[in-house]
Each structure stands twice: as C-alpha cells, then as structure tokens.
Amino acid sequence: MKTKSIAELTQDVWLVNQKVKKFPEEFSLIGQGRSAAVFKLEGPRPLAVKVFYPAYKELAYKEADIYAKLKNHLYYPELVEVGEGYLVLEYLNGITFYDCLVNGVAITPSMVAMVDEALNYARECGLNPSDTHLKNIILTNDHKIKVIDVVRFTQSEECPHWSDLKKAYYSYYLKRFFPKRFAPLFIELIIRLYRKRLLPI
C-alpha cells in the first residue's frame, strides 16, 4: 500500500469555518488558533503540520516566506515544507508559556531574555514581531525557547503583546509571594480583560 504524501494527507483534513471535523489517522490534533489547526505527524522525525482554515489558506506561503527570512534560527522552528494551505515544521517537544502557568513551571528571567533575543533577531531580519503571546512561546524539553506562529511578523502596526507581558512579568510574577500556578479559567479571564484594556498594564 502506497504511503500518502503530506500534501495528500492535508487534503483529507476537513475544516469547516474554524472547526476541525475530520482528519486522517496519521495525524493527531495538537492545537488550534485563529487561522489554522496544527497536527502532529509521527515518524522517524516527528513533524508539525499546520493546516490553514479555508478562509486563510493564502497565509501558508506568507508564513513560509517569513520562516525563510528567519533562516532556521535557533529560536524558531525549522520549516520543512510548504504547500497549498499548509506548512510543515519541525515538531517541538515542550510546553508553551501558557502551559507553564497552568502547571506551575517557573518562567525565569533567562527565558524572558531568550524571547527578547528571538524577537530582536526577527527585527534584524527586517520583520516586525507581532502577536507574541503565552501560547506562541515554547519551552522545549531541553530548556530552549522557540517562538512559533510568525505569520503576523510582517504587519506594519506595533504590537504591544510581548512588551505588556514583560511589564506584568517584572511587576507581578517575579514578586516573592506571587503565585506561579493558575487555573486555565483564571488565565482566560485575565486575557479577556487585557483585550478589553481593563487591566492596569
């Protein structure tokens, strides 16, 4: 039996609006965002396959161009393949900063500094880092930082997300008695209040 290519497997993903209705057994769903769903493809080298929702299919080549400019830098995942409506990236073993807050894994100043280095490198490449939030920063199992979901790195507007996160980090999180573990519902409440500009940051 012929093994399907990744391009063929992505054709078997059924996306309706922003919902995943069906996907091939070779894939396992590992995340969903505003413009795409991400699947893990097992193999000798596990891969992350990002399949864009129908209304956002054109973003695949746009994001691939951004990864090409980043040149497989150590703070970004390697781009393996791009096709109509999908990207293939190296699979990252680790957890997001969001998961760190949920599981009580300490976010250290050195980790924050690595994110700064990653974003400064993107600026040196002529990009404008945007939409860098808790779910777009991964702490790998070997204690490295990777920034993902770079599709908005070409927008012209200044994005305050990371600078606001850093303010909150240094103003609150690093305080000795400030909790390091939070329930997802509490984090989501804080995110909603932030988006409505109801937080003093």
Side-chain angles (χ1 to χ4, degrees):
M1 181 178 175
K2 179 181 177 293
T3 303
K4 287 187 176 181
S5 68
I6 295 177
E8 290 171 326
L9 289 173
T10 63
Q11 296 302 308
D12 293 334
V13 176
W14 184 20
L15 303 172
V16 178
N17 296 323
Q18 294 181 320
K19 293 182 179 179
V20 179
K21 296 293 186 179
K22 186 181 75 170
F23 54 88
E25 62 181 12
E26 291 89 346
F27 284 172
S28 56
L29 181 64
I30 57 174
Q32 285 186 257
R34 286 183 292 174
S35 57
V38 183
F39 303 89
K40 182 180 181 182
L41 177 61
E42 296 286 359
R45 182 194 184 191
L47 298 169
V49 183
K50 184 173 183 177
V51 182
F52 290 82
Y53 305 130
Y56 298 96
K57 288 180 70 172
E58 77 284 352
L59 293 181
Y61 287 107
K62 178 180 178 181
E63 188 163 13
D65 287 342
I66 295 170
Y67 276 117
K69 289 180 180 178
L70 293 169
K71 303 181 180 73
N72 294 338
H73 188 269
L74 64 95
Y75 287 129
Y76 297 90
E78 177 190 348
L79 174 67
V80 177
E81 182 181 328
V82 60
E84 189 65 34
Y86 74 91
L87 286 179
V88 183
L89 302 163
E90 67 169 308
Y91 177 77
L92 302 172
N93 285 301
I95 59 174
T96 65
F97 272 19
Y98 184 100
D99 295 325
C100 287
L101 293 181
V102 171
N103 296 304
V105 176
I107 298 172
T108 65
S110 64
M111 290 157 60
V112 172
M114 283 190 275
V115 178
D116 278 335
E117 288 179 24
L119 302 185
N120 285 335
Y121 171 76
R123 293 185 186 98
E124 291 170 4
C125 293
L127 299 167
N128 179 27
S130 303
D131 202 31
T132 304
H133 54 71
L134 295 172
K135 293 183 179 179
N136 286 350
I137 305 167
I138 292 181
L139 171 65
T140 66
N141 290 352
D142 54 356
H143 305 290
K144 296 177 182 177
I145 291 296
K146 297 279 187 177
V147 177
I148 62 171
D149 198 7
V150 300
V151 70
R152 294 175 179 84
F153 274 30
T154 56
Q155 69 180 33
S156 57
E157 301 85 2
E158 285 299 315
C159 178
H161 290 174
W162 177 242
S163 60
D164 286 344
L165 278 173
K166 279 206 306 181
K167 286 179 188 175
Y169 177 82
Y170 287 110
S171 298
Y172 303 106
Y173 184 88
L174 282 186
K175 299 296 183 184
R176 183 176 178 184
F177 297 108
F178 193 80
K180 301 299 184 282
R181 185 172 188 167
F182 301 90
L185 282 177
F186 178 80
I187 299 174
E188 292 299 327
L189 173 62
I190 295 300
I191 290 172
R192 289 189 180 189
L193 291 174
Y194 169 75
R195 287 175 178 167
K196 292 181 179 180
R197 298 292 187 264
L198 296 176
L199 290 178
I201 296 178

